[in-house]
Amino acid sequence: MSDAQDRLAALRAKRAGATATKAPSNGADTDPTKVWHKTACVLCSNNCGIEVRLDGRKITRVRGDKEHPASKGYTCEKALRIDYYQNGRDRLTTPLRRKDDGTFEEVSWDVAIAEVAERLTGIRDSVGGDKILYYGGGGQGNHFPGAYARGVLQTLGVKYRSNALAQEKTGMFWAQGKMFGKQNLGALGDFEHTDCAVFIGKNPWQSHGFPESRNELNKIRNDDERKLVVMDPRVSETAAMADHHLRVRPGTDAWALAALLAIMVEEGLTDERFLAEHCTGWDELRGLISGADIAECARKCGIDEAELRAAARTMGNARSLSTEEDLGIEMAPHSTLNSWLQRLLYLITGNFAKAGGMNLPLRLAPICGHSGEGETDPVTGSAMLSGLLACAAIPDCIDTDHPNRFRGMIVESANPLHTLPDSKRFREAFAKLECLVVIDVAMTETARAADYVLPACSQYEKPEATFFAGEMPANCFQVRHPILEPLGDSLPEAEIHSRLVAAMGGRAASTETLAGAAQQSRESFIEALGEASSTDPDVGAKLPVVLYDALGPTMGNMAPAAIMFGASMQASMRYPDEVRAAGVEGDGLELANNLFDKLMNSPSGMIYSVSEYSQTWDRIAHPDGKIHLFIEELVDEFRSLNDEEPTGAASDRFPFVLSAGERRSSNANDVVRDPDWRKKDKDGSLRISPDDATALGVVDGDRIRIISKRGEAEAPAEVTDTVMAGHVTLPHGFGTEYPDPDGEHKIHGVAVNELTDIEDRDWLSLTPHHKHVRVALEPAAG
């Protein structure tokens, strides 16, 4: 047995004893099926705290954890069905290697690690590690893998990485970087205290996005002094509650936003004192906005001008305003422009750095990076934003004769062959890779195309956390404890990356010394870590794996959470006063150590920082400390709105606009693959307006054929007036291949990316237009 295997065996033995004894219980009942285990829901970015009961490996009951400082016992109906994730029939239990005939064979971990290391270092040594692309690194609540992968990427010399943010959010990140100084500085709304909540292309009733989303929406709806504004072509659950539902035509959000801003300028709804004291570029921006033709914008977006003016007045006169955008405007025409204009709504009205407004929160670790001007991918020259390669550029960076093309890929906790635009194009490109390694929980569509598949523990079989948390004034963080043993031979990603680094010869020279110091005491480890950081460059470059290898063995079943020691050090150095305000004592490394211990011993999560709203100004990254309102690169696009006519579905061939990827109560990305978890809408219906259904001659339940430039699909019709004529929607998360109880594999529902076209995308960020796919419809034969 290797050292790593010995350590894992010891950790598993400790975990077996710890799981049954550390979980909180109700009363003195020792029946294991009556014990409540603290953890979190992993189906969206909120990661609400929950408690679950187990019967063997089955999660039998779920309830909200009232001790969780953010969700406070709140949860939606999706969390009740997480057993379908935990116990899916396509869970991976042993490493797999592709054979020459295309099928897979089981291999041992030693064989898999050795061969993966050999294949990837072979690419590195022959053409360079920069020809290997890393994709993924974490799901909605699974963020440790992306950090631990750093050791492997450093060892291989990998320079480029990407993930789902690079097909959804990088245009937004770029815009906020221009305005606040860094692309990883994002303002979030204080919806708990706001007087006016504004949601643009977002339905928080289903997509959430802030703590206790549905509770907060109900509070706003039931308070006559508070207002709700929603811009959405659909009558979503949130739009149905709104004081102002701006029912914009699909794909025309830029005109609606331009009109709102122009009305605010024209009617004197701007906060001139705020703009003069805290912003630059207002004079130029005011002139630009005033040039928008309000009446024409209203015509083009399909909203009556009087309705736009009423909504603008509600927002402009509110004592406080919080906004949030989502994929409805980010994955649609004028994506990056939309993100800029949305931010201007709260900035020109002065709703920043205040209670109920927009603030820059502290995070234990950033969820993205920052790319400087002129950073591009090595093949197509497309802009690199937030340190990420644009997803829509990936196929062209593989399927080419360019000398810098990617030859290998590591895909972790992600399924790009199913979730990225134009699946056909991605399959063609991935077939050209010399080596594809997938690390995942389930046998996904991408795993089926891999050369090696390495099984990871589920999020309930290892410590985990999410770094999305960003609230003001108090911010919380939860390090989840494992509640189940790993399934089969699956391993936590920390262990997988540790073994790969060792097999590639990249282990930090100081690891053994640090491990010895950690066995003596935490104080000895801290002192040794400080010394090693100054003499061994691998310590900093591969810190997550170093922490796991050295500190992890002292942490029992929480070893994969060793990375949190690094996060605690970073937080204590960056904002010590805010950490102390949360009740953590100490200075310097003592403060970091105390924060780390508290994080490890707070299974319901803890408040780790407390800020004043005014401290938002301290986080602006521009040297002048001001918000830069004017984004020169988007000026021409804004001006073109006066002359441009919205595309709609302006062709006889494709007369409908499909929003591909609607959030409903019956879907949750690709996290839950078992179709049985859906209590309704099991096949993923195509929502269509009554007028369009009549014109097509279909009724509820009839199957409709959907034809796009790239593919065809069939779905049952759901006739509803929640969508307007000419607009249809399909949910995301369907169309996965999943085994029936008898082992037969079937495709369940429509895989929307069989219909999307990779060429339909934003000019700057390459964000695909998933919410604006042109299609034709006809009744399905039979």
Side-chain angles (χ1 to χ4, degrees):
M1 258 191 168
S2 67
D3 290 343
Q5 289 173 311
D6 288 337
R7 180 175 66 249
L8 183 67
L11 292 180
R12 283 186 165 175
K14 289 180 180 179
R15 184 187 292 119
T19 300
T21 58
K22 289 190 177 181
S25 63
N26 294 339
D29 196 335
T30 57
D31 182 345
T33 66
K34 301 293 180 65
V35 174
W36 289 100
H37 304 262
K38 291 181 178 292
T39 183
C41 174
V42 299
L43 300 185
C44 87
S45 61
N46 269 21
N47 298 120
C48 296
I50 59 174
E51 295 181 308
V52 305
R53 280 182 174 177
L54 303 172
D55 188 353
R57 295 194 64 85
K58 186 173 180 60
I59 297 172
T60 58
R61 289 191 61 188
V62 179
R63 70 183 184 189
D65 181 1
K66 295 180 180 179
E67 296 180 354
H68 191 281
S71 55
K72 303 172 187 173
Y74 168 90
T75 187
C76 74
E77 74 278 11
K78 294 184 182 183
L80 306 180
R81 288 170 271 176
I82 56 171
D83 186 66
Y84 290 99
Y85 157 78
Q86 171 58 36
N87 291 307
R89 288 190 290 273
D90 57 355
R91 281 287 308 274
L92 295 164
T93 59
T94 190
L96 301 174
R97 176 177 60 192
R98 180 177 294 280
K99 298 193 294 185
D100 291 340
D101 63 4
T103 62
F104 287 96
E105 60 182 339
E106 296 182 359
V107 295
S108 69
W109 271 109
D110 283 347
V111 169
I113 292 294
E115 292 188 4
V116 167
E118 182 180 12
R119 293 281 294 273
L120 294 177
T121 55
I123 294 174
R124 176 197 66 188
D125 295 343
S126 60
V127 294
D130 59 336
K131 311 306 186 299
I132 300 170
L133 175 66
Y134 177 80
Y135 185 89
Q140 294 287 16
N142 194 50
H143 286 182
F144 286 172
Y148 280 112
R150 181 170 144 191
V152 171
L153 305 189
Q154 289 285 341
T155 301
L156 288 171
V158 172
K159 293 183 180 179
Y160 301 99
R161 59 192 300 167
S162 187
N163 59 41
L165 294 174
Q167 82 150 344
E168 300 171 349
K169 300 290 185 180
T170 44
M172 181 191 78
F173 293 159
W174 179 84
Q176 69 194 20
K178 289 287 183 178
M179 303 176 92
F180 304 132
K182 287 288 185 182
Q183 292 161 10
N184 53 19
L185 279 178
L188 298 180
D190 182 15
F191 292 103
E192 181 182 1
H193 303 112
T194 195
D195 289 302
C196 183
V198 182
F199 299 105
I200 313 291
K202 181 175 181 62
N203 176 21
W205 190 267
Q206 296 293 3
S207 65
H208 306 293
F210 52 93
E212 299 185 83
S213 304
R214 294 182 180 179
N215 289 348
E216 295 300 337
L217 287 172
N218 280 324
K219 289 177 184 177
I220 295 170
R221 176 176 62 174
N222 294 325
D223 187 339
D224 291 339
E225 299 299 315
R226 304 175 74 187
K227 301 300 178 183
L228 178 61
V229 180
V230 175
M231 184 187 295
D232 198 317
R234 303 166 302 131
V235 184
S236 67
E237 291 87 346
T238 309
M241 298 175 152
D243 297 281
H244 300 279
H245 176 198
L246 303 178
R247 200 171 185 188
V248 62
R249 283 196 191 115
T252 64
D253 309 276
W255 285 274
L257 290 165
L260 290 171
L261 292 166
I263 291 166
M264 289 176 175
V265 171
E266 180 185 273
E267 298 193 6
L269 298 171
T270 57
D271 188 334
E272 295 298 322
R273 180 177 177 181
F274 172 89
L275 292 165
E277 291 181 0
H278 297 295
C279 303
T280 67
W282 174 230
D283 288 340
E284 298 94 329
L285 179 62
R286 178 169 43 205
L288 179 69
I289 291 172
S290 298
D293 187 322
I294 296 171
E296 274 296 283
C297 285
R299 178 187 68 81
K300 291 175 182 179
C301 72
I303 303 172
D304 187 85
E305 182 178 338
E307 192 174 354
L308 287 166
R309 288 188 179 275
R313 291 167 190 152
T314 293
M315 291 185 276
N317 291 320
R319 289 172 297 182
S320 61
L321 173 76
S322 281
T323 75
E324 189 164 350
E325 67 177 58
D326 211 341
L327 306 186
I329 65 168
E330 293 164 355
M331 304 188 82
H334 297 294
S335 169
T336 304
L337 177 65
N338 288 336
S339 292
W340 179 38
L341 301 182
Q342 186 273 129
R343 276 154 185 74
L344 293 176
L345 289 176
Y346 64 78
L347 288 170
I348 70 170
T349 55
N351 286 287
F352 188 78
K354 61 186 284 189
M358 304 295 291
N359 296 276
L360 299 178
L362 295 172
R363 298 185 188 273
L364 264 178
I367 61 172
C368 68
H370 176 83
S371 295
E373 298 292 336
E375 290 189 41
T376 62
D377 76 55
V379 177
T380 73
S382 300
M384 293 271 294
L385 307 179
S386 306
L388 300 172
L389 188 142
C391 292
I394 291 174
D396 289 339
C397 288
I398 298 172
D399 189 8
T400 174
D401 292 329
H402 195 285
N404 292 327
R405 68 188 182 276
F406 294 123
R407 310 292 187 88
M409 273 188 75
I410 303 170
V411 175
E412 183 164 35
S413 300
N415 187 13
L417 289 188
H418 186 260
T419 60
L420 296 185
D422 204 337
S423 293
K424 294 176 184 177
R425 178 71 182 115
F426 270 86
R427 286 194 294 269
E428 293 167 356
F430 274 38
K432 305 294 178 64
L433 290 167
E434 296 171 18
C435 183
L436 172 60
V437 179
V438 169
I439 304 170
D440 214 321
V441 172
M443 194 64 173
T444 66
E445 286 67 27
T446 307
R448 296 181 191 283
D451 297 292
Y452 293 89
V453 184
L454 306 181
C457 298
S458 82
Q459 295 189 48
Y460 298 107
E461 298 164 357
K462 62 182 179 182
E464 254 302 348
T466 171
F467 291 96
F468 286 131
E471 300 298 323
M472 286 279 281
N475 204 358
C476 78
F477 195 90
Q478 181 185 17
V479 178
R480 308 194 301 270
H481 292 221
I483 61 173
L484 287 163
E485 282 292 294
L487 183 65
D489 288 331
S490 63
L491 296 176
E493 292 91 343
E495 179 67 22
I496 295 172
H497 288 295
S498 172
R499 294 188 186 193
L500 284 171
V501 168
M504 294 172 181
R507 204 175 190 207
S510 303
T511 301
E512 295 301 333
T513 299
L514 290 169
Q519 291 293 336
Q520 295 176 35
S521 67
R522 183 76 59 75
E523 291 72 19
S524 297
F525 172 73
I526 292 172
E527 182 179 353
L529 182 63
E531 294 176 1
S533 297
S534 63
T535 59
D536 184 351
D538 275 347
V539 170
K542 304 169 184 176
L543 183 62
V545 168
V546 170
L547 289 172
Y548 175 72
D549 286 339
L551 185 61
T554 70
M555 296 175 60
N557 68 335
M558 294 296 289
I563 186 179
M564 293 307 303
F565 189 80
S568 298
M569 288 195 298
Q570 182 183 54
S572 298
M573 289 187 292
R574 288 175 53 220
Y575 42 88
D577 292 340
E578 289 87 342
V579 173
R580 282 190 288 265
V584 184
E585 298 179 349
D587 292 294
L589 288 174
E590 179 190 16
L591 179 64
N593 192 43
N594 290 340
L595 175 59
F596 175 67
D597 284 340
K598 196 167 183 179
L599 286 166
M600 293 300 102
N601 293 291
S602 301
S604 289
M606 61 167 283
I607 294 174
Y608 71 88
S609 71
V610 175
S611 304
E612 299 291 335
Y613 290 106
S614 60
Q615 289 177 280
T616 283
W617 292 115
D618 300 333
R619 296 161 199 166
I620 297 289
H622 287 302
D624 60 9
K626 293 189 175 185
I627 300 167
H628 293 197
L629 297 173
F630 196 70
I631 302 181
E632 183 68 43
E633 293 90 335
L634 298 177
V635 168
D636 288 344
E637 185 178 358
F638 182 87
R639 286 180 175 149
S640 73
L641 295 178
N642 278 338
D643 300 320
E644 180 185 344
E645 283 294 326
T647 55
S651 76
D652 294 333
R653 185 182 175 200
F654 299 112
F656 291 87
V657 171
L658 166 69
S659 289
E662 184 182 18
R663 285 186 170 102
R664 302 176 184 173
S665 62
S666 54
N667 62 333
N669 303 316
D670 277 3
V671 179
V672 182
R673 297 173 56 83
D674 186 346
D676 289 342
W677 89 292
R678 301 181 181 110
K679 304 307 178 185
K680 58 182 180 179
D681 194 28
K682 289 182 177 291
D683 296 318
S685 62
L686 179 81
R687 289 180 173 168
I688 184 171
S689 76
D691 287 346
D692 288 335
T694 299
L696 285 173
V698 298
V699 297
D700 260 339
D702 286 353
R703 295 192 68 79
I704 295 181
R705 185 166 168 248
I706 309 152
I707 308 107
S708 76
K709 290 185 292 181
R710 293 295 288 157
E712 299 181 4
E714 282 188 16
E718 180 184 344
V719 182
T720 171
D721 57 9
T722 61
V723 293
M724 62 176 64
H727 184 213
V728 293
T729 68
L730 281 171
H732 64 272
F734 285 72
T736 54
E737 182 176 336
Y738 191 80
D740 285 346
D742 60 4
E744 182 180 356
H745 286 252
K746 294 181 180 178
I747 305 291
H748 299 269
V750 175
V752 293
N753 281 309
E754 299 296 334
L755 300 170
T756 56
D757 188 341
I758 203 168
E759 298 301 324
D760 291 336
R761 62 200 190 192
D762 187 68
W763 69 272
L764 175 68
S765 64
L766 305 193
T767 305
H769 296 166
H770 279 12
K771 307 302 182 185
H772 201 266
V773 182
R774 297 174 195 168
V775 298
L777 304 177
E778 60 185 42

